[in-house]
Amino acid sequence: MALIAAGGAGVAVLLLQVGDRMPVVAVVREVQVGQVLTEQDLGEASVALDPAVKAVRADDLKSVVGKRAAVELKPGSLLSPSQVTKDSLVKSGEQLVPIGLKPDQVPATDLVPGQTVQLVRVPAQGAAAAADETADDGVPKTIAGRVVKASKAAPGTGVVVVDVATSAKDGPIAAAWVSAGAVRLVLDAPDGR
């Protein structure tokens, strides 16, 4: 008798949880970092959510359309408020520098938008550092930047393209370093040190 009562109680709890479904916004097609969201990118799903899970409610869909994806969005995932931003990923006074890096020029750690990095000027392979490649103390010249987007490694070559936001003053210098093949990317510690 006790087993039947326990089984009935379990079914009742399950039915109550299934009944507490709410309509939320789901991603229906892939959206790249920085891309403006459209209604075609988003859909509606009905799910039972744990209170700890933050998802955009379906009736708030219009509030996220026109905002930018702060992270890469994959089809089938629920949209969280922290995954969208109204801000441009490249701020006023910055320039976006695309950098194609071979596997030995980029950390093995996955790069994600928002991480701070240093672009380090290095001498060409087999050459000594020229006077203009180092600061007065002999340390290589660096440019501070922030990852806006990083591609997956290209098949065959392993090249990763990283979009780095730098100050407008440093953007052309970084582009010249990239063109000369004289740049390495160093990931800053999370606290910026």
Side-chain angles (χ1 to χ4, degrees):
M1 201 59 146
L3 286 175
I4 293 172
V11 169
V13 168
L14 181 62
L15 288 174
L16 285 174
Q17 286 180 342
V18 170
D20 286 344
R21 298 172 78 78
M22 69 172 23
V24 295
V25 176
V27 179
V28 296
R29 63 183 185 188
E30 189 166 321
V31 180
Q32 297 297 315
V33 175
Q35 184 177 331
V36 175
L37 291 168
T38 66
E39 286 192 44
Q40 292 74 30
D41 298 323
L42 306 170
E44 188 176 312
S46 180
V47 296
L49 287 179
D50 184 288
V53 176
K54 304 296 181 213
V56 176
R57 293 182 179 269
D59 54 355
D60 292 333
L61 174 75
K62 298 275 189 212
S63 71
V64 294
V65 170
K67 290 186 177 179
R68 296 181 184 277
V71 297
E72 187 174 356
L73 303 175
K74 296 289 188 183
S77 61
L78 299 181
L79 186 66
S80 166
S82 65
Q83 294 175 313
V84 296
T85 180
K86 64 181 179 178
D87 300 327
S88 171
L89 298 181
V90 180
K91 297 175 175 61
S92 177
E94 292 182 333
Q95 292 184 339
L96 189 66
V97 181
I99 305 171
L101 298 168
K102 297 176 189 165
D104 65 343
Q105 294 175 302
V106 65
T109 302
D110 285 339
L111 296 171
V112 295
Q115 287 178 312
T116 57
V117 294
Q118 295 293 319
L119 304 179
V120 181
R121 167 93 174 164
V122 296
Q125 182 120 12
D132 67 341
E133 292 178 343
T134 60
D136 293 336
D137 58 3
V139 175
K141 289 184 178 178
T142 63
I143 293 174
R146 186 183 73 259
V147 174
V148 173
K149 182 179 179 182
S151 73
K152 302 289 183 209
T157 63
V159 170
V160 173
V161 177
V162 182
D163 289 343
V164 176
T166 68
S167 70
K169 170 182 71 86
D170 291 332
I173 298 167
W177 292 358
V178 170
S179 177
V183 68
R184 295 290 186 274
L185 188 140
V186 177
L187 183 60
D188 285 341
D191 64 0
R193 293 183 196 165

